[in-house]
Amino acid sequence: MPYVKVGSIDIATAATRISGPATAMSNGIGLSNMDPLTVSAYRRRSLCSIDQPGVVMSKLPQELEDTQHEFGSKLVVIMVGLPARGKSYLVKKLQRYLTWLQYDTKVFNVGNRRRIASKGDNTNGTSHSHAFFDPQNSAAKTIRDELALESLEELISWLKQGGRVGIHDATNSTRERRKMILNRLESEPNCRVLFIESICTDPVVLAHNLTMKLSSPDYKGVDEATARNDFKKRLENYERSYQTLGEEDEEDGIQYCKLINVGKKVIAYNIQGYLAGQCIFYLMNFNLSPRCIWLTRHGESIDNLVGKIGGDAPLSARGKRYGACLSRFIKYQREENEVLRQKEEELETPINYRRDRTVAVWTSMLTRTKETVEEFDPNEYDIKHIRFLNEIYAGICEGLSYNQIEQLYPEEFESRRENKLFYRYPGMGGESYLDVIQRLNPLIIELERMTSDLVIVTHRVVLRILLGYLMDIDRSKMPEMEVQLHTLYCVEPKPHGTVVRKFKWVEELDWFIEEPVDK
Amino acid sequence: MPYVKVGSIDIATAATRISGPATAMSNGIGLSNMDPLTVSAYRRRSLCSIDQPGVVMSKLPQELEDTQHEFGSKLVVIMVGLPARGKSYLVKKLQRYLTWLQYDTKVFNVGNRRRIASKGDNTNGTSHSHAFFDPQNSAAKTIRDELALESLEELISWLKQGGRVGIHDATNSTRERRKMILNRLESEPNCRVLFIESICTDPVVLAHNLTMKLSSPDYKGVDEATARNDFKKRLENYERSYQTLGEEDEEDGIQYCKLINVGKKVIAYNIQGYLAGQCIFYLMNFNLSPRCIWLTRHGESIDNLVGKIGGDAPLSARGKRYGACLSRFIKYQREENEVLRQKEEELETPINYRRDRTVAVWTSMLTRTKETVEEFDPNEYDIKHIRFLNEIYAGICEGLSYNQIEQLYPEEFESRRENKLFYRYPGMGGESYLDVIQRLNPLIIELERMTSDLVIVTHRVVLRILLGYLMDIDRSKMPEMEVQLHTLYCVEPKPHGTVVRKFKWVEELDWFIEEPVDK
């Protein structure tokens, strides 16, 4: 059977394309020697079509091949919305998701810039009191516009240095401001613009967001009542001039997306780019239900005992004991959750923010994960075996140990060591980390959409990639992350961030003990 | 290397689940012997979570295992919208897409039912004149409501017999009617409801739709002026009582999606189910731009000469000549298109409906497809190599001929012969047709989203599956479809359906000759 190494070119390409800002910068300078019209024509053409780092590769004319990473969609996301409407929450999630998909993404926050700019100016006990946000205060308005444009310039120059998605995180709440931003971006033909407006009318979420705002650096050292009063006035100032995205903006031919109450209602207008479409599909699948996502590798398999990778071995006796204990431990956690749920009911938490009673269990389609959940009762759990959760396919290295790979394929061993993220196993069907990221993408969307607790039993590489997303782990660290057998992670997405806990199975106790998490 | 057959269980499951209505019916009767509460509880639980036929498999309690196909999401889509707003167009595309993804989907059209019911009643030269649609005409209103409910009953009983998605294709243009439908569906706890409203304000599309309506069976044998006049009055009657989906419907807690001008603007409210989310992502990526999608297998490879499957062989000399001729032929077609485009410009066709100038070229990442497009100039085409377009991975059968498979693995050969669609090749990473459908799904979305011409160079199984979608080929026929080497398909999506042409490369002429298409 002739095994041919597939995809060596695209691995190299991916490595170039996703190189750090330093390389990108020097390539950017190289680019300036070229005919700018040629470069621009290519960029425009490839601007909005399919592009998935690692699995889609553009063929460029020879003179442009060095600049591969410069192509593909460049997207400028302009946020719109009143303060305390969850913009920064959306922005953080979007950045995490796009970065995980290997698009270089950066947030440019105007509020932080304002606070830096105003250092020292501490009128009224706050670095900027509500008066600064008065639409009639024309001096302040000029400063606010300048800050917004400075942020935008920073964003544009970052994109020129090789970035892919720049997010302008500010209120941008008037048509005038948005026009100003659009005008500036018109002279950058290689960028697409997407406006995302966040609207929140849910009193529970609003009250929570407001309380969060009082601990903002703007109110450091200010007592709560003063802070609350000032922020209320700031909001009123914004509300006086606020113009929601609508028909007038549509006349400008822009693309926009309005998110009302965190994915409850979504209005999308004129969405054209590939990347913009992906962003919106992701954003529309959000919810704020409290829940736990439990993640673990399968129990020890008989291949683990001899250090073989890949294959479809059954569990060892020890692995089976792990699976049995896992089912007891999750059942115990479920009962704890039921207590929480009842408390929430007593506290009259609105139904949207109460715990879902069902628990889903996902495994791969391989024997060792299926056997790990054998003791979970299908009467109590929604158990699904999902092919996308299968381990990375190691091509001709399936069934070998790392020592054997080193002896049989020393070059492969070396290139894998050099760049685990982009390395694709040789042989037909062999996968890279990037390939696995792409096949896990629909599961990430599903995971965001679900309201119930979820137990995922999978494999080393898949677990690293899932935790990479959930814990926002840097892509340089993700492929090296320690994810040992018989370790259980619990991830709770919360409005202000993600809480992660780690539990170790102690064989002698036949129970789980919590351990500190090293991110 | 121990090769274990992966997924034999789920192939069996898939085979059961996607069996025809006859089997489903008998299983349905079997189900009625069970505790209905148990059944109902399972259905509700698995109602809205991830479910992709063939790659996601539910583990059910033993007593329910026979009824696997009864589970997973049941969805009732209720269309809303004035006549001539493209509802039936959307409905047809949605049905085609969902069927291709292997969800049994059926459309229940109320207009057809009305025409059958009124046979003989040919007042005013039409089977139902505008008077029948007058909201003040209470006798007619009763009949219209009855027809809508009869359709709904038919839909519900079809779902009970194993169907997955039932689409109620009618105007459903008043809140009263929609309430009536919701009330009836309330007693069916196993169905989720999704309202989809189609709104069209684009005068070009409206004029086109109107002209289409005049050739409806309602106006058979009626002269154009009379028909146009009657239809205008029918529209006025609808418009008098039309209530668009909005805040009042939101109070009912329904999920809905409004599509304005074929994907230009989309409003999605309260979307909760997995399947509903997929439908909306698909619908939001539509466009009506005129374009050609060219599809072909790679040129002859040296493995083709000896009948080996899989692998990554280069092209034969003949295969290279095919590739060179393909690039000349597409260049010629491009020039023809440019002539059409200029004519469209002279006719002052609105910019949305003019041909896009760019041409995209997609290949797989395998050598034989890349070599086939070697003569395409990257200065003129947007060329992309995409891993999702790789051939089905044949696991342990890679590099063998069908004769060798029959000799080495007679049982595999037999089970593949019996059910090619659900058959998964043995060995780690081995794929089934269903697996390939799932990995092609993002490309189908992209293909719908694009406005430019597209040339796809891929492999036998992938080409069958893509044509299966584009030409709406029955799943029983798709895996058996003849797709010979050196044959080029041209698919043009048009508002009223898809036009397919087929071209054969004639080696002696070194050019393509059109041949009739046998669907």
Side-chain angles (χ1 to χ4, degrees):
Chain A
M1 190 176 351
Y3 279 122
V4 180
K5 178 161 175 183
V6 182
S8 55
I9 302 169
D10 51 294
I11 291 168
T13 311
T16 320
R17 195 190 309 157
I18 316 175
S19 56
T23 331
M25 173 90 84
S26 62
N27 276 330
I29 291 163
L31 204 65
S32 65
N33 297 330
M34 291 200 42
D35 171 13
L37 271 180
T38 322
V39 177
S40 177
Y42 285 109
R43 278 216 195 100
R44 241 195 326 273
R45 209 179 52 189
S46 60
L47 208 56
C48 71
S49 80
I50 190 168
D51 159 44
Q52 301 186 332
V55 301
V56 176
M57 176 205 158
S58 284
K59 183 177 173 185
L60 297 173
Q62 215 145 23
E63 65 270 28
L64 285 176
E65 268 183 5
D66 298 343
T67 63
Q68 173 82 26
H69 75 278
E70 279 280 335
F71 295 92
S73 6
K74 302 247 173 199
L75 186 67
V76 180
V77 175
I78 308 289
M79 297 303 295
V80 175
L82 291 171
R85 259 60 177 184
K87 284 191 304 299
S88 294
Y89 168 76
L90 289 175
V91 157
K92 258 188 228 154
K93 287 206 81 156
L94 192 59
Q95 179 190 28
R96 174 153 68 95
Y97 175 64
L98 292 172
T99 304
W100 179 77
L101 285 174
Q102 308 298 318
Y103 302 101
D104 261 324
T105 304
K106 196 169 168 183
V107 177
F108 297 82
N109 182 294
V110 178
N112 292 341
R113 181 173 281 270
R114 168 177 57 73
R115 279 183 284 271
I116 293 165
S118 74
K119 223 167 85 181
D121 164 23
N122 202 326
T123 39
N124 200 16
T126 82
S127 57
H128 272 125
S129 83
H130 62 85
F132 184 75
F133 303 95
D134 184 344
Q136 307 300 325
N137 180 344
S138 68
K141 186 180 164 298
T142 308
I143 297 174
R144 282 185 286 127
D145 284 347
E146 274 172 16
L147 289 167
L149 280 180
E150 275 170 35
S151 249
L152 186 65
E153 289 303 332
E154 203 189 333
L155 185 157
I156 292 169
S157 74
W158 178 79
L159 285 181
K160 283 184 177 166
Q161 286 163 28
R164 300 294 296 279
V165 185
I167 305 180
H168 194 255
D169 184 12
T171 52
N172 297 319
S173 57
T174 62
R175 265 182 57 72
E176 189 197 339
R177 163 73 71 81
R178 297 195 288 267
K179 273 273 193 199
M180 199 171 81
I181 290 175
L182 275 179
N183 284 344
R184 171 62 189 89
L185 287 168
E186 244 165 39
S187 53
E188 300 294 334
N190 301 324
C191 302
R192 282 199 171 243
V193 183
L194 169 66
F195 287 88
I196 297 181
E197 179 173 1
S198 180
I199 295 171
C200 181
T201 59
D202 185 322
V204 179
V205 178
L206 273 178
H208 174 265
N209 289 354
L210 192 71
T211 308
M212 298 273 295
K213 275 285 171 190
L214 303 184
S215 56
S216 134
D218 279 351
Y219 297 114
K220 211 178 156 184
V222 180
D223 70 278
E224 204 204 299
T226 315
R228 193 174 286 273
N229 188 40
D230 182 81
F231 190 73
K232 245 179 98 181
K233 283 190 182 146
R234 186 199 293 190
L235 268 184
E236 279 162 15
N237 277 332
Y238 269 109
E239 277 161 8
R240 272 158 62 199
S241 58
Y242 181 49
Q243 291 164 309
T244 187
L245 286 170
E247 279 175 27
E248 279 187 85
D249 299 85
E250 289 173 14
E251 281 162 20
D252 296 336
I254 63 165
Q255 53 180 351
Y256 73 73
C257 177
K258 288 167 84 141
L259 294 159
I260 300 151
N261 294 332
V262 205
K264 182 86 175 174
K265 186 169 181 175
V266 177
I267 301 173
Y269 179 75
N270 199 25
I271 304 302
Q272 293 183 321
Y274 172 78
L275 201 47
Q278 298 293 312
C279 290
I280 286 158
F281 188 49
Y282 175 71
L283 293 172
M284 62 191 270
N285 279 288
F286 269 11
N287 77 82
L288 294 178
S289 302
R291 71 207 128 128
C292 298
I293 302 162
W294 298 93
L295 303 107
T296 180
R297 289 171 67 188
H298 53 83
E300 180 187 78
S301 77
I302 58 167
D303 273 1
N304 287 141
L305 290 171
V306 292
K308 279 188 196 172
I309 69 165
D312 191 24
L315 292 188
S316 69
R318 204 166 155 244
K320 280 187 188 159
R321 280 201 305 280
Y322 174 74
C325 185
L326 181 68
S327 84
R328 289 196 310 277
F329 187 69
I330 295 292
K331 195 183 170 74
Y332 167 78
Q333 295 288 342
R334 243 189 122 172
E335 284 156 8
E336 297 280 288
N337 261 348
E338 189 54 26
V339 175
L340 279 176
R341 225 186 63 85
Q342 276 163 14
K343 269 191 203 151
E344 281 160 6
E345 227 158 285
E346 279 162 30
L347 287 170
E348 292 181 31
T349 311
I351 226 140
N352 287 344
Y353 305 102
R354 264 185 232 159
R355 257 146 244 283
D356 190 329
R357 253 183 180 125
T358 54
V359 179
V361 176
W362 293 354
T363 79
S364 75
M365 278 197 178
L366 300 176
T367 308
R368 55 197 186 277
T369 61
K370 284 182 176 174
E371 284 188 358
T372 305
V373 304
E374 215 145 72
E375 300 282 321
F376 282 79
D377 182 353
N379 284 296
E380 289 177 33
Y381 296 91
D382 178 16
I383 304 174
K384 290 206 158 93
H385 307 306
I386 303 178
R387 197 175 139 89
F388 300 137
L389 288 172
N390 283 9
E391 182 55 314
I392 191 170
Y393 178 59
I396 54 171
C397 298
E398 280 281 310
L400 302 179
S401 69
Y402 289 117
N403 276 341
Q404 285 172 315
I405 298 175
E406 189 171 6
Q407 280 162 23
L408 289 168
Y409 310 106
E411 280 176 33
E412 291 299 330
F413 190 81
E414 188 50 29
S415 39
R416 178 171 168 279
R417 212 188 48 78
E418 274 171 19
N419 197 335
K420 240 165 133 180
L421 188 60
F422 309 126
Y423 174 75
R424 180 174 286 150
Y425 277 104
M428 295 300 302
E431 290 184 304
S432 68
Y433 269 76
L434 297 181
D435 295 331
V436 179
I437 288 175
Q438 289 302 335
R439 72 161 142 95
L440 288 174
N441 187 19
L443 290 190
I444 292 296
I445 302 279
E446 179 64 4
L447 203 141
E448 289 292 348
R449 199 189 62 69
M450 287 169 76
T451 55
S452 66
D453 283 358
L454 171 62
V455 181
I456 301 181
V457 179
T458 181
H459 307 266
R460 178 154 50 186
V461 172
V462 173
L463 184 53
R464 280 188 184 135
I465 293 174
L466 291 175
L467 287 174
Y469 169 75
L470 290 166
M471 295 168 67
D472 199 12
I473 294 167
D474 192 86
R475 65 178 163 226
S476 64
K477 288 184 192 147
M478 185 266 282
E480 304 300 334
M481 199 183 169
E482 276 257 39
V483 283
Q484 291 181 313
L485 279 179
H486 304 169
T487 306
L488 178 65
Y489 293 84
C490 174
V491 178
E492 288 177 84
K494 304 248 180 190
H496 51 275
T498 307
V499 176
V500 183
R501 287 179 299 156
K502 189 169 125 185
F503 299 85
K504 192 94 202 154
W505 180 52
V506 182
E507 200 172 354
E508 301 73 46
L509 299 172
D510 204 13
W511 196 243
F512 287 82
I513 300 291
E514 188 161 354
E515 277 194 350
V517 180
D518 35 284
K519 192 179 161 176
Chain B
M1 188 174 353
Y3 278 122
V4 180
K5 180 160 174 182
V6 181
S8 55
I9 301 169
D10 51 294
I11 291 168
T13 311
T16 320
R17 195 193 307 156
I18 315 174
S19 57
T23 330
M25 174 90 83
S26 62
N27 276 331
I29 291 163
L31 205 64
S32 63
N33 297 331
M34 292 201 41
D35 171 11
L37 271 180
T38 321
V39 177
S40 179
Y42 284 109
R43 280 216 193 102
R44 242 196 324 275
R45 210 178 50 186
S46 60
L47 208 57
C48 71
S49 81
I50 191 167
D51 160 43
Q52 302 185 332
V55 301
V56 176
M57 177 205 157
S58 285
K59 184 176 174 185
L60 298 173
Q62 217 146 23
E63 65 272 27
L64 284 176
E65 267 183 4
D66 298 343
T67 61
Q68 173 82 29
H69 74 278
E70 279 280 334
F71 295 92
S73 6
K74 303 246 173 199
L75 185 67
V76 180
V77 175
I78 307 288
M79 297 303 296
V80 175
L82 290 172
R85 260 58 178 186
K87 284 191 304 300
S88 293
Y89 168 75
L90 290 176
V91 157
K92 257 188 227 155
K93 287 206 82 156
L94 192 59
Q95 179 190 27
R96 174 154 68 95
Y97 175 64
L98 292 172
T99 304
W100 178 77
L101 285 174
Q102 308 297 318
Y103 301 101
D104 262 325
T105 304
K106 197 170 167 181
V107 177
F108 296 83
N109 182 295
V110 177
N112 292 341
R113 179 173 282 271
R114 169 177 57 74
R115 280 183 283 272
I116 294 166
S118 74
K119 222 168 85 183
D121 164 23
N122 204 327
T123 39
N124 199 15
T126 84
S127 58
H128 271 125
S129 84
H130 61 86
F132 184 76
F133 304 95
D134 185 342
Q136 307 300 326
N137 180 344
S138 68
K141 186 181 163 299
T142 308
I143 296 174
R144 282 184 286 126
D145 284 347
E146 274 171 17
L147 289 166
L149 280 181
E150 276 170 33
S151 249
L152 186 65
E153 290 302 333
E154 204 189 331
L155 184 157
I156 292 168
S157 74
W158 178 79
L159 285 181
K160 283 183 177 168
Q161 287 163 28
R164 300 294 295 280
V165 184
I167 305 180
H168 193 254
D169 184 12
T171 52
N172 298 319
S173 56
T174 62
R175 266 182 55 72
E176 188 196 343
R177 163 73 72 80
R178 297 194 289 267
K179 274 273 194 197
M180 200 171 81
I181 290 175
L182 274 179
N183 284 343
R184 171 62 189 89
L185 287 168
E186 245 165 39
S187 52
E188 301 294 334
N190 302 325
C191 301
R192 281 197 172 245
V193 183
L194 169 66
F195 286 88
I196 298 180
E197 178 172 3
S198 179
I199 295 172
C200 182
T201 58
D202 185 322
V204 179
V205 178
L206 272 178
H208 174 266
N209 289 353
L210 192 72
T211 309
M212 296 276 294
K213 274 285 171 190
L214 302 183
S215 56
S216 134
D218 279 352
Y219 296 115
K220 212 179 156 184
V222 181
D223 69 278
E224 203 203 298
T226 315
R228 194 174 284 272
N229 189 40
D230 181 81
F231 190 73
K232 245 179 100 180
K233 283 189 181 147
R234 186 199 292 189
L235 268 185
E236 280 163 14
N237 277 332
Y238 269 110
E239 277 161 7
R240 273 158 61 200
S241 58
Y242 181 49
Q243 291 164 309
T244 187
L245 286 170
E247 278 174 28
E248 280 186 84
D249 300 85
E250 288 173 14
E251 281 162 20
D252 296 335
I254 63 166
Q255 54 180 350
Y256 74 74
C257 177
K258 288 168 82 141
L259 294 159
I260 300 152
N261 294 331
V262 204
K264 182 85 174 173
K265 185 168 181 175
V266 177
I267 302 173
Y269 179 75
N270 200 24
I271 304 301
Q272 292 183 321
Y274 172 78
L275 201 46
Q278 299 293 310
C279 289
I280 285 158
F281 188 49
Y282 175 71
L283 292 172
M284 65 190 267
N285 278 288
F286 270 11
N287 77 82
L288 294 177
S289 302
R291 70 206 127 129
C292 298
I293 302 162
W294 298 93
L295 303 108
T296 178
R297 290 170 67 187
H298 53 82
E300 180 188 77
S301 77
I302 58 167
D303 273 1
N304 287 141
L305 290 172
V306 292
K308 279 189 196 171
I309 68 165
D312 192 23
L315 293 189
S316 70
R318 204 165 155 244
K320 280 186 187 160
R321 281 202 303 281
Y322 174 74
C325 185
L326 181 68
S327 84
R328 289 197 308 277
F329 187 69
I330 295 292
K331 195 182 170 75
Y332 168 79
Q333 294 289 342
R334 243 189 122 171
E335 284 156 7
E336 296 280 289
N337 260 349
E338 189 53 28
V339 176
L340 279 176
R341 225 186 62 85
Q342 276 163 13
K343 268 192 204 150
E344 281 160 7
E345 228 158 284
E346 280 163 28
L347 287 170
E348 293 181 32
T349 312
I351 223 140
N352 287 345
Y353 305 102
R354 265 185 232 160
R355 256 148 243 283
D356 191 329
R357 254 186 178 121
T358 54
V359 180
V361 176
W362 292 353
T363 79
S364 75
M365 278 198 180
L366 300 177
T367 307
R368 55 196 186 276
T369 61
K370 284 183 177 173
E371 285 188 357
T372 304
V373 303
E374 215 146 70
E375 299 283 319
F376 282 79
D377 182 354
N379 284 296
E380 289 178 31
Y381 298 90
D382 178 15
I383 304 174
K384 289 205 159 94
H385 308 305
I386 304 177
R387 197 175 139 90
F388 300 137
L389 288 172
N390 282 9
E391 183 55 313
I392 191 170
Y393 178 58
I396 55 172
C397 298
E398 281 281 311
L400 302 179
S401 69
Y402 289 117
N403 277 342
Q404 286 172 316
I405 298 175
E406 189 170 8
Q407 280 162 25
L408 289 168
Y409 310 105
E411 279 176 35
E412 292 298 330
F413 190 81
E414 188 49 29
S415 39
R416 178 170 168 280
R417 213 188 48 76
E418 273 171 19
N419 197 334
K420 240 164 133 180
L421 188 59
F422 309 125
Y423 174 75
R424 180 174 286 151
Y425 276 104
M428 294 301 302
E431 290 183 305
S432 68
Y433 268 76
L434 298 181
D435 295 330
V436 179
I437 288 175
Q438 289 301 335
R439 73 163 142 95
L440 289 173
N441 188 19
L443 290 189
I444 292 296
I445 302 278
E446 179 62 5
L447 204 142
E448 289 293 348
R449 199 189 62 70
M450 286 168 76
T451 55
S452 67
D453 284 358
L454 172 62
V455 181
I456 301 180
V457 179
T458 181
H459 305 266
R460 179 154 49 187
V461 171
V462 173
L463 184 53
R464 280 189 184 133
I465 292 174
L466 290 175
L467 287 174
Y469 169 75
L470 291 166
M471 295 169 67
D472 200 11
I473 294 166
D474 192 86
R475 66 178 162 226
S476 65
K477 287 182 192 149
M478 185 265 282
E480 304 301 334
M481 199 183 169
E482 275 257 41
V483 285
Q484 291 182 314
L485 278 180
H486 304 167
T487 306
L488 178 66
Y489 292 83
C490 173
V491 178
E492 288 178 84
K494 304 247 180 192
H496 50 275
T498 306
V499 176
V500 183
R501 286 178 300 154
K502 189 170 126 185
F503 299 85
K504 191 92 202 155
W505 180 52
V506 181
E507 200 172 354
E508 302 72 47
L509 299 173
D510 203 15
W511 196 243
F512 287 82
I513 300 291
E514 188 163 355
E515 278 194 350
V517 180
D518 35 285
K519 191 179 161 178

